[in-house]
Amino acid sequence: EPWSILVLVLVLILVLVWLVQSNATLALLWYDFLLETALDFITRTSRPQRLLQAVCINAVRGNPDSVIAAIDHFCQNQEWAMNVGDEKGAILDSVVMETSPSTVLELGTYCGYSAVRIMRLLPPATRFITLEMNPDYAAVARQVIQHAGLQDKVCLVEGKSADLIPKMADMFGIRTFDFVFFDHWKDCYLPDIRLLEDCGLLDQGSVVLADNVLCPGAPEYLDYVRSSLRFSSRFYRSHLEYTRVLDGLERSEYLGHRDAQRDQ
């Protein structure tokens, strides 16, 4: 019967939607590859460009909260994107306000969502530097940050974190960062936190917050910060942005160099 076939198709669609929303592998495969590739081909635009268009249409210029709301609405109702998102964003907000940093480093700007989210909470005198290696993402992020009215407060630098971290002191005259947000390639988390240590850019009390430590995951990074005597770490359980897939953020406070050796 036609109606029974229709019911079966609807049930299969609902099951597929549930699986995509709940399974890490399927979610990343669907949202971050299949759907994005298809929409790029159909629209002849990129996901960041479509996100920017949503911001320009729906967000009030000069209002950071409106920009955040427009991006969240786009990602929840139109197209998933790899921002920290609303749920983990609330955790990010609380850690930023708790830390009250005067110097901030973000690794992985993407479209500027987290830069806007962080900087809106901090006074204008805060030094905020965000690094993005993809020039197309950086171009969109600059426009999103400008739409939020924060272009004079956020310094976006294009390039690889491994190349730029050692140059922070010379480029910006910053000795240490009070708060560092990791949201770039997950396999860069471990080498980059070691590089921050080696370059002396972490001071006692500096806080490093790392996103997506479960999905896609950064197991070697977690092993390092959780076993190091130089860090005190805490895990914030949450979900992959705009899904029900288990994820979380790792907050690691730098305790300074210890006489004791790190556990091997």
Side-chain angles (χ1 to χ4, degrees):
E1 293 290 337
W3 66 268
S4 59
I5 296 174
L6 178 60
V7 169
L8 179 60
V9 170
L10 289 174
V11 169
L12 289 174
I13 290 173
L14 290 173
V15 170
L16 178 61
V17 169
W18 183 85
L19 286 172
V20 165
Q21 279 283 309
S22 306
N23 181 276
T25 302
L26 287 176
L28 293 173
L29 177 64
W30 173 252
Y31 289 124
D32 211 26
F33 178 69
L34 296 175
L35 186 60
E36 182 174 11
T37 301
L39 289 173
D40 287 357
F41 178 78
I42 293 168
T43 66
R44 294 291 190 264
T45 62
S46 68
R47 173 174 286 166
Q49 289 170 335
R50 295 188 291 275
L51 183 148
L52 173 61
Q53 183 179 35
V55 168
C56 293
I57 293 172
N58 300 305
V60 177
R61 185 171 290 275
N63 185 326
D65 287 304
S66 179
V67 169
I68 291 167
I71 295 175
D72 283 335
H73 184 271
F74 172 81
C75 295
Q76 290 163 347
N77 298 283
Q78 292 176 253
E79 187 178 350
W80 183 91
M82 56 181 179
N83 314 297
V84 66
D86 53 345
E87 183 184 355
K88 287 185 292 183
I91 299 170
L92 172 61
D93 290 353
S94 66
V95 174
V96 168
M97 289 187 290
E98 172 191 282
T99 306
S100 190
S102 59
T103 51
V104 177
L105 176 65
E106 177 186 43
L107 304 184
T109 317
Y110 188 43
C111 295
Y113 176 94
S114 49
V116 170
R117 183 147 205 146
I118 294 169
M119 195 59 220
R120 86 194 204 285
L121 301 171
L122 300 174
T126 304
R127 301 289 303 280
F128 188 108
I129 298 163
T130 180
L131 310 184
E132 176 54 57
M133 67 175 291
N134 186 314
D136 295 327
Y137 293 170
V140 168
R142 286 192 176 92
Q143 294 177 77
V144 169
I145 292 166
Q146 184 173 27
H147 198 94
L150 297 174
Q151 67 275 9
D152 295 330
K153 302 174 184 178
V154 175
C155 178
L156 194 163
V157 184
E158 291 181 40
K160 296 181 179 179
S161 54
D163 297 332
L164 293 170
I165 287 172
K167 300 176 182 177
M168 287 292 104
D170 291 338
M171 290 177 68
F172 300 103
I174 293 177
R175 294 179 60 245
T176 58
F177 287 99
D178 300 325
F179 179 73
V180 182
F181 184 50
F182 278 21
D183 198 14
H184 54 325
W185 289 104
K186 311 314 161 193
D187 56 3
C188 292
Y189 280 21
L190 179 55
D192 282 351
I193 197 165
R194 285 174 164 165
L195 190 56
L196 286 166
E197 289 183 85
D198 292 343
C199 293
L201 290 168
L202 299 179
D203 198 4
Q204 185 172 357
S206 294
V207 171
V208 180
L209 187 67
D211 189 20
N212 300 123
V213 293
L214 292 188
C215 182
E220 293 180 349
Y221 173 83
L222 289 181
D223 287 344
Y224 180 76
V225 294
R226 290 174 179 178
S227 64
S228 174
L229 297 178
R230 294 189 292 275
F231 289 96
S232 173
S233 288
R234 172 186 174 185
F235 175 68
Y236 292 84
R237 180 189 174 101
S238 188
H239 298 91
L240 178 68
E241 41 270 29
Y242 315 112
T243 75
R244 292 188 296 270
V245 174
L246 183 64
D247 193 16
L249 298 140
E250 186 82 1
R251 177 193 185 278
S252 303
E253 181 176 346
Y254 189 64
L255 304 176
H257 290 285
R258 298 297 187 90
D259 292 332
Q261 295 295 313
R262 191 178 75 83
D263 295 341
Q264 298 300 318

